[in-house]
Amino acid sequence: MASPNFSAPPPNPEPPAVDAFLSGVDSAMNSNTLLLTADCDVLVTAGNSQDVLHAFLRSALLERLMRAADVRRNWYILTDEYDIEPFKRPLLREGFRATVSPLDHAGFLARLRWMLCEAYSPYGHHYPAADAERLVSDFARELLGADGPAWSFAAVSPDFLRPTGYYSGEEPL
């Protein structure tokens, strides 16, 4: 496969349903959850999805999208309000191996509900099932439209981002 090219779609403000879900995950899992979207010039299939993901993760676009989403969500973890210099360290761990595991539509939605209701929460905060279902349904409808089952879904592991030391007090790598 030739290396795919990626481009950022036109800027689009995050709809309230997307922001509500991302903020919900942040409050349950102690995360800084960002939604990144990119256009790719090759058709992504089950056979090439891991290669396309690795190309995207190594692209300069990933860091630009991460920094833009960081600012849009008012986290300022990857930059500060006045930062005009490029990010000094790469976001990816040295020698990372992100593995793609296919999910069906129901598995994808179940994973989103798990993030809100069951995943480890250092805050001891989980959403009631009905609230989680509403957040997930609204998020999926906004993100996927009525054709959610027509999409392809996957879980990606392991964690491929560098630690920031934000909560631990450790120095970033």
Side-chain angles (χ1 to χ4, degrees):
M1 172 181 91
S3 184
N5 294 305
F6 301 95
S7 58
N12 197 7
E14 272 175 357
V18 171
D19 184 61
F21 173 78
L22 297 177
S23 295
V25 172
D26 292 341
S27 70
M29 295 179 65
N30 185 21
S31 65
N32 299 322
T33 310
L34 307 172
L35 177 65
L36 308 179
T37 58
D39 293 325
C40 181
D41 68 349
V42 300
L43 179 65
V44 181
T45 66
N48 71 3
S49 62
Q50 188 155 327
D51 292 334
V52 172
L53 173 66
H54 278 239
F56 175 65
L57 293 176
R58 288 182 172 92
S59 72
L61 179 61
L62 173 75
E63 289 199 20
R64 287 197 312 271
L65 290 172
M66 293 275 296
R67 287 170 57 100
D70 178 64
V71 170
R72 185 173 57 250
R73 300 227 42 237
N74 294 312
W75 284 114
Y76 298 104
I77 304 286
L78 303 175
T79 186
D80 63 39
E81 294 178 70
Y82 310 104
D83 188 12
I84 57 172
E85 297 296 318
F87 196 62
K88 301 289 189 235
R89 299 175 314 273
L91 292 173
L92 299 177
R93 294 176 187 261
E94 184 76 26
F96 78 91
R97 285 297 305 161
T99 303
V100 175
S101 302
L103 290 172
D104 62 11
H105 184 251
F108 171 69
L109 296 178
R111 182 64 156 250
L112 299 180
R113 285 188 293 273
W114 170 84
M115 294 168 73
L116 296 167
C117 296
E118 299 174 41
Y120 172 71
S121 174
Y123 303 128
H125 170 73
H126 288 107
Y127 281 79
D131 293 345
E133 184 59 40
R134 180 186 49 77
L135 286 168
V136 168
S137 295
D138 292 350
F139 173 78
R141 188 173 25 265
E142 186 67 48
L143 188 64
L144 308 174
D147 297 326
W151 287 73
S152 296
F153 305 96
V156 178
S157 62
D159 180 14
F160 51 83
L161 296 176
R162 297 168 75 77
T164 63
Y166 179 68
Y167 285 106
S168 68
E170 297 174 11
E171 276 298 309
L173 296 175

